[in-house]
Amino acid sequence: MVFYIIGLGLSDERDITVKGLEAVKRSERVYLEAYTSLLLVPKENLEGFYGKEVIVADREMVEMEADKILEGAAERDVSFLVVGDPFGATTHTDLELRARSQGIPVRVVHNASIMNAVGATGLQLYRFGEAVSIVFFTDTWRPDSFYDRIAANRRAGLHTLCLLDIKVKEPSLESLARGRKVYEPPRFMSVATAVQQLLEVEERRGKGAYGPETLAVGVARVGSESQRIVAGPLAALADVDFGPPLHSLVIAGETHPIEQEYLKQFMVDKVGLAAAGAAADAAGSGGVAVPQ
């Protein structure tokens, strides 16, 4: 029997591949990982389309109770569903290694993820550098490790995909301090919040990795019918209403003329690409110094 790790794509229950759907229908149990990313539809839509009960697997189950998910997978097919592609998060690599260590055959069914669907912006995938994660700042924790990686990407002329934080079933610090878990309401970082935090870090670090006029592209609900893409100076994107989650942000590096032409359709307030492109070029070569 087989433990399947199946990518669901980015939007709804119909994005699963034929191969993935066949595996789900053969499975005795079907789990949905529900904390590294989220589909844009409730699990009931999946259940209706797949004809199977779907068990939501939160962070605690996946990281602390993985043996429950793998239980019986050596004798019966079990499916573990992942929004996007199965290897979009290291948690899923760990789960595969656990299964193999128990002698359970594993098969992975791939699908689209934000890592490749970001090509919808018109920025060419082979011109992207290392992706970074932007997490919610708190009063006492304002991590900025992403800054140096963005700077390195821009020195190399590469674009940076910024993956924005989501908080699902996260216990509050106050409740943990009192010895009991009380979960906070779900939160999803917006492009506006990401821009504000990025500019705060640039002001603090002051090395010119990017600036308010750096060309950037905000994306929301990629792959869905309500997909939204807006390009323009980084600071201007903070004023754009991208609508419901999930959001991501790209900080552009050097842009090829074909990329520039494609981006024209997405420019904020119909600002000409030449203006934003010139600002981005200035950010990389004089307007805002890029560290060497």
Side-chain angles (χ1 to χ4, degrees), residues 111-225:
N111 209 321
S113 77
I114 189 60
M115 302 294 285
N116 53 33
V118 72
T121 61
L123 297 174
Q124 296 163 0
L125 292 179
Y126 66 86
R127 297 172 65 88
F128 276 77
E130 183 179 0
V132 303
S133 296
I134 312 295
V135 303
F136 281 111
F137 285 175
T138 70
D139 292 339
T140 58
W141 189 56
R142 308 178 92 74
D144 61 3
S145 59
F146 58 79
Y147 183 85
D148 295 318
R149 283 175 281 167
I150 295 173
N153 285 344
R154 283 180 46 80
R155 282 198 300 269
L158 301 176
H159 313 311
T160 305
L161 171 61
C162 301
L163 304 173
L164 308 188
D165 200 6
I166 67 173
K167 299 289 188 186
V168 179
K169 201 176 179 182
E170 296 279 346
S172 68
L173 295 178
E174 182 181 352
S175 71
L176 290 175
R178 294 180 176 179
R180 61 187 182 90
K181 290 183 179 179
V182 176
Y183 296 104
E184 297 181 338
R187 289 194 299 157
F188 308 93
M189 184 179 288
S190 66
V191 168
T193 297
V195 168
Q196 292 163 4
Q197 293 189 181
L198 283 161
L199 293 178
E200 175 188 318
V201 170
E202 174 56 53
E203 184 175 356
R204 182 167 71 241
R205 298 284 293 270
K207 295 183 179 180
Y210 50 81
E213 299 303 317
T214 297
L215 178 63
V217 188
V219 299
R221 301 172 304 285
V222 175
S224 75
E225 293 181 0

Side-chain angles (χ1 to χ4, degrees), residues 19-248:
K19 184 183 293 184
L21 182 58
E22 290 173 345
V24 167
K25 289 183 176 296
R26 288 195 300 268
S27 295
E28 181 171 292
R29 297 195 315 279
V30 179
Y31 294 91
L32 171 64
E33 185 267 284
Y35 67 92
T36 60
S37 188
L38 296 175
L39 278 185
L40 303 181
V41 295
K43 79 177 183 77
E44 288 77 15
N45 288 38
L46 277 64
E47 292 174 327
F49 191 72
Y50 304 157
K52 289 279 186 176
E53 178 187 3
V54 175
I55 304 166
V56 174
D58 59 22
R59 181 188 297 272
E60 292 177 3
M61 175 180 284
V62 176
E63 296 184 351
M64 307 300 293
E65 303 176 5
D67 288 341
K68 287 186 177 180
I69 296 173
L70 297 174
E71 184 178 355
E75 294 81 33
R76 303 176 291 278
D77 288 345
V78 175
S79 287
F80 184 77
L81 310 180
V82 179
V83 178
D85 187 78
F87 294 132
T90 55
T91 296
H92 312 133
T93 304
D94 179 68
L95 192 59
E96 178 183 1
L97 292 174
R98 285 173 178 261
R100 293 191 185 281
S101 71
Q102 297 178 30
I104 299 171
V106 177
R107 292 183 188 171
V108 176
V109 182
H110 293 282
N111 209 321
S113 77
I114 189 60
M115 302 294 285
N116 53 33
V118 72
T121 61
L123 297 174
Q124 296 163 0
L125 292 179
Y126 66 86
R127 297 172 65 88
F128 276 77
E130 183 179 0
V132 303
S133 296
I134 312 295
V135 303
F136 281 111
F137 285 175
T138 70
D139 292 339
T140 58
W141 189 56
R142 308 178 92 74
D144 61 3
S145 59
F146 58 79
Y147 183 85
D148 295 318
R149 283 175 281 167
I150 295 173
N153 285 344
R154 283 180 46 80
R155 282 198 300 269
L158 301 176
H159 313 311
T160 305
L161 171 61
C162 301
L163 304 173
L164 308 188
D165 200 6
I166 67 173
K167 299 289 188 186
V168 179
K169 201 176 179 182
E170 296 279 346
S172 68
L173 295 178
E174 182 181 352
S175 71
L176 290 175
R178 294 180 176 179
R180 61 187 182 90
K181 290 183 179 179
V182 176
Y183 296 104
E184 297 181 338
R187 289 194 299 157
F188 308 93
M189 184 179 288
S190 66
V191 168
T193 297
V195 168
Q196 292 163 4
Q197 293 189 181
L198 283 161
L199 293 178
E200 175 188 318
V201 170
E202 174 56 53
E203 184 175 356
R204 182 167 71 241
R205 298 284 293 270
K207 295 183 179 180
Y210 50 81
E213 299 303 317
T214 297
L215 178 63
V217 188
V219 299
R221 301 172 304 285
V222 175
S224 75
E225 293 181 0
S226 66
Q227 169 179 293
R228 183 148 199 224
I229 302 173
V230 181
L234 182 61
L237 297 186
D239 297 325
V240 175
D241 180 5
F242 284 88
L246 297 170
H247 296 185
S248 299

